[in-house]
Amino acid sequence: MADLSTCPPLTRVSVKAAHERIKPYIHRTPITTCETLNQIASTPQCERCTHTGPNIASEPAPHDHNINGNVSSYTAAPNVRLFFKCENQQRIGAFKARGAFHALGRLIEEEGIESVRRKGVCTHSSGNHAQALALAAKTHNVPAHIVMPTISTPSKIAGTKSHGANVIFSGSTSDEREAVIREVIANTGATLVPPYDHPDIILGAGTQALELEQQVDDLLTQQPDLGITGKGKLDAVIAPIGGGGMLSGICTALHGTRIKVFGAEPNVEGANDAEQGLKQGKRFEKVSTLTIADGLRTPVGAIPWSIISDKEKLEGIYSVTEEQIKAALKVLMERAKMFVEPSAAVSLAVVLYNESFRQMVQREAGDKGWNIGIVLSGGNTTMEAIAKLFAAPEKAEERAEAKVGVNGERKAENVAG
Amino acid sequence: MADLSTCPPLTRVSVKAAHERIKPYIHRTPITTCETLNQIASTPQCERCTHTGPNIASEPAPHDHNINGNVSSYTAAPNVRLFFKCENQQRIGAFKARGAFHALGRLIEEEGIESVRRKGVCTHSSGNHAQALALAAKTHNVPAHIVMPTISTPSKIAGTKSHGANVIFSGSTSDEREAVIREVIANTGATLVPPYDHPDIILGAGTQALELEQQVDDLLTQQPDLGITGKGKLDAVIAPIGGGGMLSGICTALHGTRIKVFGAEPNVEGANDAEQGLKQGKRFEKVSTLTIADGLRTPVGAIPWSIISDKEKLEGIYSVTEEQIKAALKVLMERAKMFVEPSAAVSLAVVLYNESFRQMVQREAGDKGWNIGIVLSGGNTTMEAIAKLFAAPEKAEERAEAKVGVNGERKAENVAG
């Protein structure tokens, strides 16, 4: 990996330079809008759940309607227009391609292609970063060694192998993974390309924000009649946070503009380490959760933390329950026809169901409302995984048993995205 | 419905006029491409199944590999670039909005808005046409009465009601439906807008072909470097056929151009009535199938038949099994990230798995290959329906039992899309 001391500063200018570097290798993914989701998002939760109102979302609103007996606490009606950045249609099916192509490009620039090809690159990842680095390495004809936990989704292992990477298996704890990656480095001399905790990854990931900003401007300028009631430009962006590479990249890209940046996080089993960390003023170094948002099971990295904990760069982080993520996933697929992985639904879940977030938007945006960019971070899930998530209710108990069962998965510590 | 004697002729010029009429009310849906699907489609079936080759599709190819002991029969390698027309992102989630807006617009032009508002409109449909007519009627402030079978998907009933339509329930056989619709007409004087067997519906449905043709030209002109190895224009379109409104509309729109049109059909339980009808030179008037492609359970209508049975307008119809539809649905979602209903996957299933079609393309297209437009007709399915389709194998027997069980569904005759 490029030496930290030689990395470009974490600024909007550096994100623009990163964008120029990776443009030939990545897709400029489309943005999309959905009238129905705008309508749902702008309607109070009470009015769209089966408890009291006409049921726009065709399902029970995933909030506890009787919390403290106070029904009126779910009445925020922010006026929002949503713009989805479809990184699920990025190469390898997730935004991770941006960071991987940028990091490898910088490494080649610094060390020379001959040296990089001789040494190769390596990483440890159970998911999208593995496939992204494998693709970038193949593109530049560089050997790649990827350490993956044996419990990784078979389709992700197959995807990584299909790009010609050398896949080495490990246990699923951080200690087990790190032991194997040390061995790989000792044997091959390969350079480690970490999944998120590096400036080159952060700058690469931030490039999607530049596209989103421009695409929303273009859309609102060229198609003022597309059924969107408000005008203007992008007001805010909300993106999920796991290791924090993407969110800190977006903060970096948009710092100095008028666009506000928010983070979205699952909160089951302490998965909201970033939200809690900001409250307590310290970074959590370990997280142990098996949230369905499997891309967000990691603690925030040190460099991302230094960015997101800066109040001038990030407005705040909001978290949601597993049921809320599932409900957002359902409407994204059924209504907007976007095929995404659960991690990609977390931002929309905050917009639809986190009442604190909704109240804040209503207060800040007023009648004029906000144009909100929502990052759909990836689409790498399977029909079988969806079938498990949405199986008929009578199967719920079986699944609960399976969840804590085999392989001691629940105890797994997750350190890489 | 506009009187047949006053309908515009079924020509490309009339489709263009229909397009101008409905443009303010419909989305110009995007087209999309997917490198991985191009690669899969251009690879022989034998090389991408788990039986013999590297498994690009990550699953067993859904053909009987040992048929007649003749492995070499699955070796066609047509060179194809696929362009998906995303009518799953059309208003109400399916192409049906086009026909409904066109038919109602023509009716209003002919009878005057006052008369149409006084009498109202009606139809019978279990699916997308119901929602489409409800939306068009709401838009023009016209009362709509929709007869729906009680066994309709709850989300489709809710969708129809959400547009303010008066939903009346009926049994699921054609006799039961027609009895109820006669009663509605007697009571209200409402004008029947049939789902597919009318020139105005056909002309409206055909408009998507004009967009597809233009969008592929634009894409190949403006972005010659998008990873597509061939150049040129659209060579062929393949679209699913149920009642035939869409396919005959596309045939009408493209007649006189160099673009070839093909139909795609499920073949379980005689669902391939159009394919069989063309072979026997006669239209089948009844079909009884519960194919998972629920939008294609209907027999071809008389007017659509008069078009698709014209060899100058339609090249041919190819059919696929339920397993092939499922496999195509899976790759569309997992690889192209398109959320579609099973009916919308039937065209891709033909391209990927119908060996006769693949051999024909290889022969006709040669090394240069073809740019093929694939109509993704709709996206109205639910997570629960997907969960049932892709549930773990050990549940397959239970589902098979359930399928023929309650409500005598299997006996249902399906006459409306």
Side-chain angles (χ1 to χ4, degrees):
Chain A
M1 198 69 175
D3 193 283
L4 281 184
S5 65
T6 68
C7 283
L10 288 162
T11 62
R12 180 168 164 93
V13 171
S14 300
V15 177
K16 287 182 176 173
H19 201 208
E20 290 307 314
R21 183 189 296 276
I22 66 175
K23 265 183 190 169
Y25 305 111
I26 60 159
H27 292 323
R28 185 181 175 89
T29 55
I31 62 165
T32 187
T33 61
C34 176
E35 286 172 40
T36 307
L37 290 190
N38 288 343
Q39 191 192 347
I40 293 174
S42 300
T43 302
Q45 293 194 66
C46 284
E47 287 181 23
R48 59 181 146 97
C49 77
T50 46
H51 298 265
T52 54
N55 179 14
I56 299 176
S58 288
E59 64 173 321
H63 62 262
D64 178 359
H65 205 78
N66 296 313
I67 195 164
N68 303 327
N70 184 5
V71 168
S72 65
S73 60
Y74 294 100
T75 55
N79 177 15
V80 295
R81 283 85 53 186
L82 309 178
F83 299 84
F84 297 96
K85 178 65 172 163
C86 300
E87 286 291 294
N88 60 328
Q89 294 184 279
Q90 185 53 267
R91 296 187 73 188
I92 70 101
F95 77 98
K96 291 276 187 182
R98 296 174 184 269
F101 272 105
H102 184 241
L104 187 57
R106 286 258 308 123
L107 183 66
I108 289 169
E109 185 183 68
E110 231 177 59
E111 295 202 2
I113 185 70
E114 295 308 320
S115 165
V116 175
R117 283 193 182 140
R118 194 172 55 247
K119 290 155 66 179
V121 291
C122 66
T123 198
H124 50 102
S125 160
S126 62
N128 292 329
H129 178 62
Q131 297 182 74
L133 185 63
L135 174 65
K138 182 179 74 172
T139 304
H140 291 290
N141 202 16
V142 168
H145 311 278
I146 315 281
V147 176
M148 301 186 81
T150 45
I151 61 164
S152 299
T153 314
S155 63
K156 286 183 176 172
I157 296 171
T160 306
K161 284 183 175 172
S162 78
H163 297 304
N166 173 31
V167 173
I168 306 122
F169 293 103
S170 76
S172 56
T173 69
S174 58
D175 287 347
E176 287 170 306
R177 287 189 196 192
E178 280 164 19
V180 176
I181 198 85
R182 273 194 302 272
E183 200 181 321
V184 168
I185 293 171
N187 291 343
T188 63
T191 306
L192 179 67
V193 179
Y196 50 82
D197 202 5
H198 192 284
D200 287 338
I201 297 289
I202 292 168
L203 293 171
T207 57
Q208 63 189 293
L210 301 180
E211 293 175 14
L212 176 60
E213 182 185 4
Q214 185 65 50
Q215 286 169 313
V216 172
D217 279 7
D218 290 349
L219 190 69
L220 291 175
T221 307
Q222 292 162 14
Q223 302 183 28
D225 62 338
L226 48 58
I228 295 168
T229 51
K231 292 290 168 64
K233 295 176 173 245
L234 190 62
D235 295 294
V237 173
I238 182 164
I241 177 164
M246 175 166 67
L247 184 60
S248 63
I250 292 172
C251 287
T252 304
L254 298 178
H255 185 54
T257 72
R258 54 178 286 285
I259 302 166
K260 296 174 193 295
V261 181
F262 299 91
E265 208 173 23
N267 62 20
V268 69
E269 301 166 341
N272 56 335
D273 61 295
E275 184 186 39
Q276 292 300 321
L278 287 184
K279 277 183 189 156
Q280 299 176 28
K282 62 163 190 168
R283 180 172 77 92
F284 286 34
E285 292 184 11
K286 295 213 170 179
V287 170
S288 179
T289 172
L290 281 175
T291 168
I292 58 171
D294 59 350
L296 311 179
R297 291 174 183 171
T298 53
V300 181
I303 301 173
W305 175 260
S306 71
I307 297 166
I308 65 158
S309 58
D310 179 343
K311 288 201 175 71
E312 305 232 317
K313 293 181 177 164
L314 182 76
E315 297 287 322
I317 291 178
Y318 295 82
S319 68
V320 283
T321 66
E322 299 291 280
E323 282 308 303
Q324 290 169 335
I325 297 169
K326 261 184 75 174
L329 185 64
K330 184 176 165 74
V331 292
L332 266 173
M333 293 213 198
E334 294 184 359
R335 302 309 178 96
K337 319 299 178 190
M338 295 287 114
F339 190 80
V340 294
E341 56 187 84
S343 303
V346 175
S347 303
L348 180 64
V350 166
V351 173
L352 295 183
Y353 306 119
N354 186 304
E355 193 66 15
S356 302
F357 179 84
R358 296 173 56 79
Q359 285 173 2
M360 178 275 299
V361 175
Q362 185 170 20
R363 201 168 54 235
E364 299 263 321
D367 291 344
K368 183 168 172 287
W370 269 1
N371 298 317
I372 303 181
I374 294 189
V375 175
L376 301 180
S377 49
N380 290 333
T381 184
T382 63
M383 306 304 275
E384 291 73 20
I386 289 169
K388 270 187 206 164
L389 270 181
F390 290 91
E394 64 269 22
K395 303 287 183 286
E397 280 177 25
E398 285 174 34
R399 279 181 297 128
E401 280 169 31
K403 205 174 167 192
V404 288
V406 277
N407 297 336
E409 281 187 43
R410 179 152 291 269
K411 296 190 198 82
E413 233 168 57
N414 290 279
V415 295
Chain B
M1 200 66 175
D3 193 284
L4 280 185
S5 66
T6 69
C7 283
L10 288 163
T11 63
R12 180 168 165 93
V13 171
S14 299
V15 177
K16 286 182 177 173
H19 201 207
E20 290 307 313
R21 184 189 295 277
I22 66 175
K23 266 184 189 169
Y25 305 110
I26 60 159
H27 292 324
R28 184 180 176 90
T29 54
I31 61 166
T32 188
T33 60
C34 176
E35 285 171 41
T36 307
L37 291 189
N38 288 343
Q39 191 192 347
I40 293 174
S42 300
T43 302
Q45 293 194 67
C46 284
E47 287 182 24
R48 56 181 148 96
C49 77
T50 47
H51 298 266
T52 53
N55 179 15
I56 297 176
S58 288
E59 64 173 318
H63 62 262
D64 178 359
H65 204 78
N66 296 313
I67 195 163
N68 303 328
N70 185 6
V71 168
S72 65
S73 58
Y74 293 101
T75 55
N79 178 13
V80 295
R81 282 85 51 186
L82 309 177
F83 298 83
F84 297 96
K85 178 65 171 163
C86 300
E87 287 292 294
N88 60 329
Q89 295 184 279
Q90 185 52 270
R91 295 187 74 187
I92 70 99
F95 77 97
K96 291 275 186 182
R98 295 175 183 269
F101 272 106
H102 184 241
L104 187 57
R106 285 257 310 123
L107 183 67
I108 289 169
E109 185 184 69
E110 231 177 62
E111 295 203 1
I113 184 70
E114 295 307 321
S115 163
V116 175
R117 282 192 184 143
R118 194 171 56 247
K119 291 155 66 180
V121 292
C122 66
T123 197
H124 51 103
S125 160
S126 62
N128 292 330
H129 179 63
Q131 297 182 73
L133 186 63
L135 174 66
K138 182 179 75 171
T139 305
H140 291 290
N141 202 15
V142 167
H145 310 278
I146 316 281
V147 176
M148 302 185 82
T150 46
I151 62 164
S152 299
T153 314
S155 63
K156 286 182 175 172
I157 297 171
T160 306
K161 285 183 175 172
S162 79
H163 297 304
N166 174 31
V167 173
I168 305 122
F169 293 103
S170 77
S172 57
T173 69
S174 58
D175 288 349
E176 288 170 306
R177 288 188 196 193
E178 279 163 19
V180 177
I181 198 84
R182 273 194 303 272
E183 200 180 320
V184 168
I185 293 170
N187 291 343
T188 62
T191 307
L192 179 66
V193 179
Y196 50 81
D197 201 5
H198 192 284
D200 287 338
I201 297 288
I202 292 168
L203 292 171
T207 58
Q208 63 190 294
L210 301 180
E211 294 175 15
L212 176 60
E213 182 185 4
Q214 185 65 52
Q215 286 170 313
V216 171
D217 280 7
D218 290 350
L219 190 68
L220 291 175
T221 308
Q222 291 161 17
Q223 302 182 30
D225 61 339
L226 49 57
I228 294 167
T229 51
K231 291 290 169 63
K233 297 178 171 242
L234 190 63
D235 295 295
V237 173
I238 182 163
I241 177 162
M246 175 166 67
L247 185 60
S248 63
I250 292 172
C251 286
T252 305
L254 298 179
H255 184 55
T257 71
R258 55 178 286 285
I259 302 167
K260 296 174 193 295
V261 182
F262 300 90
E265 207 174 24
N267 62 20
V268 70
E269 301 164 343
N272 57 334
D273 61 294
E275 184 187 39
Q276 292 300 322
L278 288 184
K279 276 183 192 158
Q280 299 176 28
K282 62 163 191 171
R283 181 173 77 91
F284 285 34
E285 293 184 10
K286 295 212 169 179
V287 169
S288 178
T289 171
L290 281 176
T291 167
I292 58 170
D294 60 349
L296 310 179
R297 291 174 182 170
T298 52
V300 181
I303 301 174
W305 176 260
S306 71
I307 297 166
I308 64 158
S309 59
D310 179 343
K311 288 199 177 69
E312 305 232 319
K313 293 181 176 163
L314 183 76
E315 297 287 322
I317 290 176
Y318 295 82
S319 68
V320 283
T321 66
E322 299 291 281
E323 283 307 303
Q324 290 169 335
I325 297 169
K326 261 185 74 174
L329 185 64
K330 184 177 167 71
V331 292
L332 267 174
M333 294 213 196
E334 294 183 359
R335 303 308 180 95
K337 318 300 177 189
M338 296 286 115
F339 189 80
V340 295
E341 57 187 84
S343 304
V346 174
S347 302
L348 180 65
V350 167
V351 173
L352 295 183
Y353 306 119
N354 186 303
E355 193 66 15
S356 301
F357 180 83
R358 296 172 57 79
Q359 285 173 1
M360 179 277 297
V361 175
Q362 184 171 19
R363 201 167 54 234
E364 299 265 321
D367 291 343
K368 182 167 172 285
W370 269 1
N371 298 317
I372 303 182
I374 293 189
V375 174
L376 301 180
S377 50
N380 290 334
T381 185
T382 63
M383 305 304 276
E384 290 74 20
I386 289 169
K388 268 187 208 164
L389 271 181
F390 290 90
E394 63 269 23
K395 303 286 184 286
E397 281 179 22
E398 287 174 32
R399 281 181 294 129
E401 280 168 30
K403 204 173 167 193
V404 289
V406 278
N407 297 335
E409 281 185 44
R410 178 150 294 269
K411 296 190 198 81
E413 233 168 58
N414 292 277
V415 294

